[in-house]
Amino acid sequence: MSGQTSRVFVQRDYTLGTMVQFDTKFPSELNGHINESTFRATVDRVNEMFEEAEALDQAAYMEGCLACLTLCTYYAWPCVQTKYEKAMDSLGSYINSQNATVYGPCGLKLVHPMERGLRTLEIIITRS
């Protein structure tokens, strides 16, 4: 890894409210590192994964109801992964895969949005 690194922050996109999604506008700092369509495909997939994680479906309702209604679930909750936690694990695997196959060879590294409090999608430029 080079001695100098720089960081690019892809900001949250609040056009559809407070759900977690990131802007797909290509940052000029990434010119010469990765092409725009690859960047956009990655951000689109990250946005889709957050949309799936935050979707209110039967599993989400059941988790909520069981957590509220049973004392047993309250004590067992640390042992059980929620739908959202599973989705964040999947997102972490996707980011690791993208870093290994797409971004890493270009001298870039994606940082999981959870590490930045879901405020930004950070991309570290490790070489110029």
Side-chain angles (χ1 to χ4, degrees), residues 58-77 80-82:
Q58 290 177 343
Y61 285 119
M62 289 301 293
E63 285 174 359
C65 289
L66 287 173
C68 289
L69 296 176
T70 65
L71 187 59
C72 181
T73 303
Y74 174 77
Y75 288 114
W77 205 253
V80 178
Q81 256 194 329
T82 65

Side-chain angles (χ1 to χ4, degrees), residues 5-23:
T5 61
S6 59
R7 298 168 189 275
V8 176
F9 297 96
V10 178
Q11 299 299 318
R12 288 266 301 264
D13 177 1
Y14 290 99
T15 57
L16 296 176
T18 58
M19 64 184 256
V20 178
Q21 67 176 16
F22 297 96
D23 193 357

Side-chain angles (χ1 to χ4, degrees), residues 37-54:
S37 62
T38 301
F39 167 80
R40 184 163 284 138
T42 300
V43 176
D44 283 342
R45 181 64 189 129
V46 168
N47 287 341
E48 288 170 8
M49 293 178 93
F50 273 107
E51 185 177 339
E52 291 166 10
E54 295 176 351

